[in-house]
PDB file of all heavy atoms in Angstrom:
ATOM      1  N   LEU A 130      -2.028 -56.815  25.522  1.00 90.00           N
ATOM      2  CA  LEU A 130      -3.378 -57.338  25.722  1.00 90.00           C
ATOM      3  C   LEU A 130      -3.787 -58.294  24.592  1.00 90.00           C
ATOM      4  O   LEU A 130      -4.141 -59.451  24.858  1.00 90.00           O
ATOM      5  CB  LEU A 130      -4.349 -56.159  25.845  1.00 90.00           C
ATOM      6  CG  LEU A 130      -5.570 -56.334  26.727  1.00 90.00           C
ATOM      7  CD1 LEU A 130      -5.194 -56.828  28.100  1.00 90.00           C
ATOM      8  CD2 LEU A 130      -6.302 -55.011  26.841  1.00 90.00           C
ATOM      9  N   PRO A 131      -3.718 -57.854  23.321  1.00 89.00           N
ATOM     10  CA  PRO A 131      -4.083 -58.785  22.251  1.00 89.00           C
ATOM     11  C   PRO A 131      -3.138 -59.990  22.149  1.00 89.00           C
ATOM     12  O   PRO A 131      -3.592 -61.107  21.887  1.00 89.00           O
ATOM     13  CB  PRO A 131      -4.010 -57.919  20.981  1.00 89.00           C
ATOM     14  CG  PRO A 131      -3.295 -56.681  21.353  1.00 89.00           C
ATOM     15  CD  PRO A 131      -3.465 -56.499  22.809  1.00 89.00           C
ATOM     16  N   GLU A 132      -1.840 -59.780  22.374  1.00 90.00           N
ATOM     17  CA  GLU A 132      -0.883 -60.887  22.245  1.00 90.00           C
ATOM     18  C   GLU A 132      -1.149 -61.968  23.292  1.00 90.00           C
ATOM     19  O   GLU A 132      -1.118 -63.164  23.001  1.00 90.00           O
ATOM     20  CB  GLU A 132       0.558 -60.374  22.392  1.00 90.00           C
ATOM     21  CG  GLU A 132       1.039 -59.507  21.250  1.00 90.00           C
ATOM     22  CD  GLU A 132       1.328 -60.310  19.989  1.00 90.00           C
ATOM     23  OE1 GLU A 132       1.741 -61.474  20.113  1.00 90.00           O
ATOM     24  OE2 GLU A 132       1.107 -59.769  18.883  1.00 90.00           O
ATOM     25  N   LEU A 133      -1.399 -61.545  24.538  1.00 91.00           N
ATOM     26  CA  LEU A 133      -1.639 -62.522  25.599  1.00 91.00           C
ATOM     27  C   LEU A 133      -2.963 -63.252  25.369  1.00 91.00           C
ATOM     28  O   LEU A 133      -3.081 -64.445  25.624  1.00 91.00           O
ATOM     29  CB  LEU A 133      -1.648 -61.831  26.969  1.00 91.00           C
ATOM     30  CG  LEU A 133      -0.288 -61.346  27.454  1.00 91.00           C
ATOM     31  CD1 LEU A 133      -0.410 -60.690  28.818  1.00 91.00           C
ATOM     32  CD2 LEU A 133       0.724 -62.475  27.516  1.00 91.00           C
ATOM     33  N   LYS A 134      -3.953 -62.524  24.888  1.00 90.00           N
ATOM     34  CA  LYS A 134      -5.266 -63.125  24.633  1.00 90.00           C
ATOM     35  C   LYS A 134      -5.128 -64.203  23.557  1.00 90.00           C
ATOM     36  O   LYS A 134      -5.652 -65.306  23.688  1.00 90.00           O
ATOM     37  CB  LYS A 134      -6.234 -62.042  24.186  1.00 90.00           C
ATOM     38  CG  LYS A 134      -7.683 -62.460  24.305  1.00 90.00           C
ATOM     39  CD  LYS A 134      -8.589 -61.311  23.933  1.00 90.00           C
ATOM     40  CE  LYS A 134     -10.042 -61.752  23.920  1.00 90.00           C
ATOM     41  NZ  LYS A 134     -10.502 -62.167  25.244  1.00 90.00           N
ATOM     42  N   LYS A 135      -4.375 -63.859  22.509  1.00 90.00           N
ATOM     43  CA  LYS A 135      -4.174 -64.785  21.389  1.00 90.00           C
ATOM     44  C   LYS A 135      -3.555 -66.091  21.885  1.00 90.00           C
ATOM     45  O   LYS A 135      -3.888 -67.170  21.417  1.00 90.00           O
ATOM     46  CB  LYS A 135      -3.240 -64.099  20.380  1.00 90.00           C
ATOM     47  CG  LYS A 135      -3.289 -64.675  18.986  1.00 90.00           C
ATOM     48  CD  LYS A 135      -2.593 -63.741  18.002  1.00 90.00           C
ATOM     49  CE  LYS A 135      -1.081 -63.754  18.189  1.00 90.00           C
ATOM     50  NZ  LYS A 135      -0.402 -62.680  17.423  1.00 90.00           N
ATOM     51  N   ARG A 136      -2.657 -65.979  22.875  1.00 89.00           N
ATOM     52  CA  ARG A 136      -1.961 -67.175  23.353  1.00 89.00           C
ATOM     53  C   ARG A 136      -2.749 -67.909  24.435  1.00 89.00           C
ATOM     54  O   ARG A 136      -2.264 -68.911  24.957  1.00 89.00           O
ATOM     55  CB  ARG A 136      -0.593 -66.792  23.901  1.00 89.00           C
ATOM     56  CG  ARG A 136       0.388 -66.386  22.823  1.00 89.00           C
ATOM     57  CD  ARG A 136       1.666 -65.891  23.468  1.00 89.00           C
ATOM     58  NE  ARG A 136       2.738 -65.690  22.517  1.00 89.00           N
ATOM     59  CZ  ARG A 136       2.844 -64.635  21.716  1.00 89.00           C
ATOM     60  NH1 ARG A 136       1.922 -63.700  21.731  1.00 89.00           N
ATOM     61  NH2 ARG A 136       3.857 -64.522  20.885  1.00 89.00           N
ATOM     62  N   GLY A 137      -3.894 -67.369  24.828  1.00 90.00           N
ATOM     63  CA  GLY A 137      -4.766 -68.066  25.767  1.00 90.00           C
ATOM     64  C   GLY A 137      -4.458 -67.833  27.232  1.00 90.00           C
ATOM     65  O   GLY A 137      -4.795 -68.659  28.078  1.00 90.00           O
ATOM     66  N   TYR A 138      -3.851 -66.703  27.567  1.00 92.00           N
ATOM     67  CA  TYR A 138      -3.604 -66.407  28.980  1.00 92.00           C
ATOM     68  C   TYR A 138      -4.892 -65.968  29.660  1.00 92.00           C
ATOM     69  O   TYR A 138      -5.825 -65.492  29.002  1.00 92.00           O
ATOM     70  CB  TYR A 138      -2.551 -65.307  29.121  1.00 92.00           C
ATOM     71  CG  TYR A 138      -1.152 -65.818  28.923  1.00 92.00           C
ATOM     72  CD1 TYR A 138      -0.577 -65.836  27.658  1.00 92.00           C
ATOM     73  CD2 TYR A 138      -0.413 -66.304  29.997  1.00 92.00           C
ATOM     74  CE1 TYR A 138       0.698 -66.325  27.470  1.00 92.00           C
ATOM     75  CE2 TYR A 138       0.859 -66.787  29.812  1.00 92.00           C
ATOM     76  CZ  TYR A 138       1.417 -66.807  28.549  1.00 92.00           C
ATOM     77  OH  TYR A 138       2.673 -67.280  28.371  1.00 92.00           O
ATOM     78  N   ASP A 139      -4.917 -66.113  30.967  1.00 91.00           N
ATOM     79  CA  ASP A 139      -6.101 -65.762  31.745  1.00 91.00           C
ATOM     80  C   ASP A 139      -6.346 -64.248  31.676  1.00 91.00           C
ATOM     81  O   ASP A 139      -5.449 -63.459  31.972  1.00 91.00           O
ATOM     82  CB  ASP A 139      -5.899 -66.196  33.197  1.00 91.00           C
ATOM     83  CG  ASP A 139      -7.129 -65.910  34.019  1.00 91.00           C
ATOM     84  OD1 ASP A 139      -8.111 -66.644  33.846  1.00 91.00           O
ATOM     85  OD2 ASP A 139      -7.102 -64.957  34.817  1.00 91.00           O
ATOM     86  N   ASP A 140      -7.576 -63.888  31.302  1.00 90.00           N
ATOM     87  CA  ASP A 140      -7.902 -62.472  31.131  1.00 90.00           C
ATOM     88  C   ASP A 140      -7.772 -61.671  32.417  1.00 90.00           C
ATOM     89  O   ASP A 140      -7.263 -60.557  32.429  1.00 90.00           O
ATOM     90  CB  ASP A 140      -9.344 -62.337  30.631  1.00 90.00           C
ATOM     91  CG  ASP A 140      -9.389 -62.237  29.120  1.00 90.00           C
ATOM     92  OD1 ASP A 140      -8.332 -61.954  28.532  1.00 90.00           O
ATOM     93  OD2 ASP A 140     -10.469 -62.449  28.550  1.00 90.00           O
ATOM     94  N   THR A 141      -8.263 -62.269  33.512  1.00 92.00           N
ATOM     95  CA  THR A 141      -8.332 -61.516  34.765  1.00 92.00           C
ATOM     96  C   THR A 141      -6.954 -61.068  35.225  1.00 92.00           C
ATOM     97  O   THR A 141      -6.729 -59.886  35.498  1.00 92.00           O
ATOM     98  CB  THR A 141      -8.977 -62.386  35.855  1.00 92.00           C
ATOM     99  OG1 THR A 141     -10.103 -63.030  35.289  1.00 92.00           O
ATOM    100  CG2 THR A 141      -9.388 -61.557  37.039  1.00 92.00           C
ATOM    101  N   VAL A 142      -6.016 -62.032  35.307  1.00 93.00           N
ATOM    102  CA  VAL A 142      -4.690 -61.670  35.808  1.00 93.00           C
ATOM    103  C   VAL A 142      -3.973 -60.768  34.810  1.00 93.00           C
ATOM    104  O   VAL A 142      -3.252 -59.848  35.192  1.00 93.00           O
ATOM    105  CB  VAL A 142      -3.863 -62.933  36.116  1.00 93.00           C
ATOM    106  CG1 VAL A 142      -2.523 -62.555  36.683  1.00 93.00           C
ATOM    107  CG2 VAL A 142      -4.614 -63.810  37.084  1.00 93.00           C
ATOM    108  N   SER A 143      -4.192 -61.026  33.549  1.00 93.00           N
ATOM    109  CA  SER A 143      -3.552 -60.210  32.535  1.00 93.00           C
ATOM    110  C   SER A 143      -4.015 -58.753  32.640  1.00 93.00           C
ATOM    111  O   SER A 143      -3.199 -57.823  32.639  1.00 93.00           O
ATOM    112  CB  SER A 143      -3.877 -60.819  31.170  1.00 93.00           C
ATOM    113  OG  SER A 143      -3.663 -59.927  30.153  1.00 93.00           O
ATOM    114  N   LEU A 144      -5.323 -58.545  32.783  1.00 93.00           N
ATOM    115  CA  LEU A 144      -5.852 -57.181  32.925  1.00 93.00           C
ATOM    116  C   LEU A 144      -5.376 -56.535  34.221  1.00 93.00           C
ATOM    117  O   LEU A 144      -4.927 -55.387  34.229  1.00 93.00           O
ATOM    118  CB  LEU A 144      -7.382 -57.209  32.929  1.00 93.00           C
ATOM    119  CG  LEU A 144      -8.092 -57.263  31.592  1.00 93.00           C
ATOM    120  CD1 LEU A 144      -9.584 -57.407  31.813  1.00 93.00           C
ATOM    121  CD2 LEU A 144      -7.811 -56.002  30.800  1.00 93.00           C
ATOM    122  N   GLY A 145      -5.471 -57.298  35.311  1.00 94.00           N
ATOM    123  CA  GLY A 145      -5.091 -56.751  36.609  1.00 94.00           C
ATOM    124  C   GLY A 145      -3.636 -56.348  36.640  1.00 94.00           C
ATOM    125  O   GLY A 145      -3.287 -55.272  37.129  1.00 94.00           O
ATOM    126  N   SER A 146      -2.777 -57.212  36.087  1.00 94.00           N
ATOM    127  CA  SER A 146      -1.354 -56.885  36.154  1.00 94.00           C
ATOM    128  C   SER A 146      -1.040 -55.679  35.282  1.00 94.00           C
ATOM    129  O   SER A 146      -0.163 -54.881  35.617  1.00 94.00           O
ATOM    130  CB  SER A 146      -0.502 -58.088  35.741  1.00 94.00           C
ATOM    131  OG  SER A 146      -0.800 -58.476  34.439  1.00 94.00           O
TER     132      SER A 146
END
Side-chain angles (χ1 to χ4, degrees):
Chain A
L130 211 52
E132 291 286 328
L133 289 180
K134 198 176 175 64
K135 200 167 72 190
R136 289 174 170 79
Y138 282 90
D139 183 74
D140 266 343
T141 316
V142 182
S143 162
L144 278 175
S146 60

